[in-house]
Amino acid sequence: MCGIVGYVGGRPCKELLLTGLERLEYRGYDSAGICLINGRADITRRVGKVAVLRDAVGTSAHPATTGLAHTRWATHGGVIEANAHPIEACEGSGVTVVHNGIIENYAALRRELSEAGHVYHSDTDTEAIAHLVEECYSGDLVEAVHKAYQRLDGHFAFAVAHRDSPGVLVAARRGCPLVVGVGEGEMFMASAIPAFLAETRKVQHVFDDEIVVARTDGATFLSGDGTPIEREVQEVEWDDDAAEKQGYETFMLKEIWEQPDAIAQTIGERLYHGQLQLDGLNLSDEQVRGLSRIVFLACGTSYHAGLVGRYLLEEWARIPSESDIASEWRYRRPVIDRNTLVIAIAQSGETIDTLAAMKEARACGAHVLAVTNVMGSQMTRECDSVLYTRAGLEIGVAASKTFTAQLTLLYLLALRLGTIRGTLTGERAETLLAQVRSLPDLVRSTLERGELVEPIADRFARNEFFLYLGRNIGLPIALEGALKLKEISYIATDAYAAGEMKHGPIALLDDSTPVVVIATDGHVYEKVVSNIEEVRARGAHVIAVATEGNEGIRDLAEHVLYLPRTEPELQPVLAVLPLQQLAYAIATRRGLDVDKPRNLAKTVTVE
Ligand code: AGP
């Protein structure tokens, strides 16, 4: 939530900052702003997307070689220009701040600083940082930021520039992402690597409770108490092409089609001479055999991956498993112990609720395994084991390829644990592994049938409600399909366990309701058919996702989306594909911006 970009170096930075902002726009797009330091702080802010800011600053050259920029997802204060960042302290102070996160003691600071004579211009919590830095400033920006940082409660990443200190940016982090890009005679700061990927692939991660000072010739890292810290420079694998649409009309469409590769990469990493190895899983075979329970914790789409994981771990490794929403679980008094494996899943590795749940789990003595797509992200530093999905950069706010990569990784994990525990015979494990390895091809052929969703989208794009039903391992996919549709098309959806429909949601059905049913082959298929009959009896319109070869379903459903035949446990990875495509086709018919749905942000760093 919110994207920060900073630059200090030898080049005029206006265009570098605007391009960086465009790359971070998925983090929030309520307003955008830029501050260029050149003897004075030239600040331009606009409500709306970065394109509006770009128009406002125009194409003329600006000589500044130090600057900050920001794209906002509003928390404190409405979506108005006065609340857009960069935020200045008192007029003429020269202090400007960009910030991601929440300052929890902002109201107390506001009272204190107002009494001390500071004049506020916005309703944001960020302004407390600006005035605090101004209050602490006596010619040394690093010292001022350090002092201000020590007074702040909450979770944040912020960067400060001072009109009188061109060539220096000072930033601090606690709980929100911040990374430094190392160039030749220039340094970048950003909430995420894509902001500067076109300029450098060398990065230095900023860890929690650290202050970083960027100057033209390098960055210095300090701990919260001011002790200097050495930080290695790492080279990232992503290339900048990933941050371009490469001919696709949207990032989401590109990412949907990248799923075969994302899955292949996620598998490829783990196969050595055909043998499955999960480097990064720091559990001995003895510890795996001693596991008494698995708890999946995550939010949003990653939570749906955890729901699938629960079935897999129970089925293949015979370990009692549950899956919970991180923001709920963390406020329970969970009963877990050192024989519990907690699997925290987050594409971004920065979701604050998931991070908080992980901390709680570790405090209870559980072994915490992080599953994430982002190397060096916060969750990789707050876990006992980490396994990476290899989906590459995902920019569309609605998750697609990262979800199927998460499922793939969970298949591999369940296979490995099942093999170690002896709940899968060698032969069965080999058969399943072969099926998992065939997923990239199966996914590609499923995506290639995508035109089948077009008539469904034509027919129902103007409906204002869809119901999604599934049973067993099909239920998480019903939930994910419903989430995709609601987040990119703004159509109200409900997703339910099909057997539970008669206990309430059936009242919603009439002869205008489209009902998407996951009706793939498996041991609950006949039960799903009964639920389809119940839907039909109310005159609603059934859209079934079914297994190739099932001709009977044509008599029950008005539209059928067929999937290639595979093991029942592997069906989720295929079944979600037409649902992503259907949501996409409906959203585009409604003329919506699928990459940046309203009110959402890709990385959720607030509770
Ligand atoms: C999915 O389409 C969402 N935009 C959202 O639900 C997302 O999955 C959620 O915010 C969790 O993100 P994470 O995987 O980075 O933790």
Side-chain angles (χ1 to χ4, degrees):
M1 320 214 108
C2 297
I4 293 174
V5 198
Y7 174 86
V8 52
R11 291 191 277 168
C13 62
K14 179 175 127 180
E15 186 52 38
L16 290 168
L17 291 171
L18 289 171
T19 306
L21 274 194
E22 282 159 353
R23 294 284 167 84
L24 292 190
E25 205 169 19
Y26 64 88
R27 299 181 64 88
Y29 26 85
D30 288 331
S31 61
I34 187 167
C35 169
L36 299 165
I37 303 287
N38 182 40
R40 58 175 209 259
D42 270 349
I43 298 181
T44 310
R45 303 178 297 175
R46 287 293 182 273
V47 167
K49 295 182 179 162
V50 178
V52 181
L53 177 70
R54 209 178 240 295
D55 279 352
V57 294
T59 50
S60 59
H62 192 291
T65 58
T66 302
L68 289 173
H70 186 269
T71 180
R72 179 172 187 242
W73 187 87
T75 59
H76 293 55
V79 181
I80 55 171
E81 201 165 296
N83 292 335
H85 300 207
I87 296 274
E88 272 188 291
C90 293
E91 217 178 309
S93 67
V95 176
T96 43
V97 175
V98 289
H99 162 227
N100 164 210
I102 288 177
I103 305 300
E104 285 168 2
N105 58 337
Y106 79 100
L109 288 170
R110 184 173 186 134
R111 274 193 300 278
E112 175 191 322
L113 291 161
S114 299
E115 274 167 25
H118 290 259
V119 180
Y120 273 67
H121 314 283
S122 77
D123 310 315
T124 62
D125 52 337
T126 306
E127 198 171 342
I129 311 173
H131 289 290
L132 210 46
V133 172
E134 179 190 356
E135 183 71 17
C136 300
Y137 184 76
S138 51
D140 183 339
L141 188 59
V142 181
E143 182 188 76
V145 171
H146 186 218
K147 283 186 179 161
Y149 154 84
Q150 289 173 324
R151 299 275 328 269
L152 298 172
D153 294 336
H155 52 276
F156 49 75
F158 67 84
V160 186
H162 198 294
R163 176 198 55 213
D164 301 336
S165 305
V168 187
L169 294 175
V170 188
R173 145 174 200 164
R174 184 185 299 154
C176 291
L178 189 65
V179 62
V180 169
V182 182
E184 295 290 328
E186 59 187 6
M187 301 295 286
F188 300 81
M189 279 182 176
S191 301
I193 294 166
F196 51 71
L197 204 50
E199 307 301 328
T200 180
R201 286 163 62 178
K202 291 188 181 146
V203 303
Q204 288 176 297
H205 291 286
V206 185
F207 296 164
D208 259 356
D209 290 308
E210 287 184 355
I211 290 167
V212 57
V213 185
R215 295 194 169 86
T216 308
D217 56 355
T220 326
F221 291 73
L222 304 170
S223 68
D225 65 8
T227 313
I229 300 169
E230 288 292 317
R231 184 58 35 78
E232 61 170 333
V233 176
Q234 295 180 319
E235 186 128 353
V236 292
E237 289 165 10
W238 294 342
D239 70 36
D240 190 53
D241 281 357
E244 298 291 343
K245 289 184 196 151
Q246 295 170 350
Y248 286 92
E249 61 194 17
T250 62
F251 282 110
M252 186 178 175
L253 191 60
K254 170 175 166 260
E255 288 154 7
I256 286 174
W257 281 96
E258 283 173 345
Q259 289 180 103
D261 278 352
I263 292 168
Q265 293 292 329
T266 300
I267 298 168
E269 268 266 303
R270 273 92 199 184
L271 288 180
Y272 298 84
H273 307 295
Q275 293 301 307
L276 180 57
Q277 284 186 24
L278 293 182
D279 295 345
L281 179 64
N282 299 322
L283 284 174
S284 65
D285 288 3
E286 198 184 334
Q287 284 172 305
V288 168
R289 282 190 281 269
L291 288 175
S292 59
R293 196 154 152 238
I294 290 189
V295 178
F296 290 92
L297 298 175
C299 304
T301 289
S302 297
Y303 164 64
H304 299 153
L307 285 174
V308 174
R310 183 183 72 179
Y311 290 92
L312 300 177
L313 267 302
E314 281 182 352
E315 191 65 34
W316 292 352
R318 301 303 294 146
I319 309 174
S321 303
E322 61 179 278
S323 180
D324 210 340
I325 295 165
S327 57
E328 285 297 316
W329 187 87
R330 60 179 286 205
Y331 292 111
R332 281 166 45 194
R333 285 216 302 137
V335 185
I336 54 172
D337 59 23
R338 48 201 297 279
N339 293 325
T340 306
L341 172 63
V342 167
I343 304 178
I345 309 173
Q347 179 282 130
S348 61
E350 305 282 352
T351 301
I352 196 137
D353 285 316
T354 308
L355 290 171
M358 289 170 72
K359 272 190 189 144
E360 182 73 30
R362 286 184 101 192
C364 297
H367 184 102
V368 175
L369 162 63
V371 172
T372 182
N373 198 42
V374 181
M375 288 187 90
S377 57
Q378 185 63 12
M379 77 188 292
T380 66
R381 295 193 282 275
E382 301 205 356
C383 62
D384 303 297
S385 296
V386 59
L387 293 174
Y388 289 101
T389 49
R390 296 289 185 202
L393 183 61
E394 187 178 71
I395 289 181
V397 166
S400 55
K401 63 176 178 171
T402 52
F403 177 65
T404 45
Q406 287 166 348
L407 296 188
T408 304
L409 190 57
L410 295 179
Y411 290 133
L412 300 179
L413 180 67
L415 273 175
R416 182 84 192 112
L417 299 194
T419 305
I420 293 171
R421 289 167 67 92
T423 49
L424 288 174
T425 61
E427 197 186 334
R428 176 80 178 128
E430 262 178 41
T431 309
L432 289 170
L433 183 58
Q435 292 259 354
V436 173
R437 293 179 74 175
S438 70
L439 278 175
D441 288 340
L442 295 174
V443 165
R444 192 171 293 108
S445 68
T446 308
L447 287 172
E448 280 164 1
R449 304 166 189 203
E451 76 282 358
L452 294 175
V453 304
E454 301 297 334
I456 309 173
D458 283 339
R459 183 172 173 196
F460 296 113
R462 296 291 145 203
N463 275 61
E464 289 307 330
F465 175 67
F466 273 62
L467 181 65
Y468 285 70
L469 298 175
R471 269 179 184 259
N472 195 254
I473 206 162
L475 175 57
I477 299 310
L479 289 161
E480 176 60 9
L483 177 65
K484 285 289 90 82
L485 187 65
K486 75 169 66 122
E487 70 181 337
I488 65 172
S489 73
Y490 316 149
I491 293 175
T493 62
D494 206 348
Y496 246 79
E500 189 69 6
M501 176 185 61
K502 55 189 168 295
H503 299 288
I506 199 164
L508 295 167
L509 301 185
D510 62 26
D511 61 7
S512 71
T513 319
V515 181
V516 178
V517 187
I518 313 302
T520 44
D521 287 1
H523 66 290
V524 293
Y525 176 73
E526 293 305 332
K527 302 288 171 202
V528 173
V529 167
S530 305
N531 302 130
I532 289 177
E533 294 291 10
E534 291 156 10
V535 169
R536 279 158 47 87
R538 273 79 199 171
H541 308 286
V542 176
I543 301 156
V545 178
T547 309
E548 211 164 49
N550 176 357
E551 289 305 318
I553 192 85
R554 288 190 193 277
D555 299 332
L556 302 171
E558 293 175 34
H559 300 269
V560 183
L561 298 164
Y562 281 115
L563 307 177
R565 183 170 296 282
T566 182
E567 291 285 333
E569 290 86 359
L570 301 190
Q571 283 165 358
V573 104
L574 303 181
V576 74
L577 305 171
L579 303 190
Q580 295 169 346
Q581 290 174 315
L582 178 62
Y584 187 89
I586 290 176
T588 48
R589 274 165 182 74
R590 289 166 78 101
L592 298 169
D593 182 347
V594 288
D595 283 339
K596 300 189 199 83
R598 70 183 177 204
N599 304 335
L600 289 172
K602 182 97 184 140
T603 308
V604 182
T605 52
V606 294
E607 290 175 36

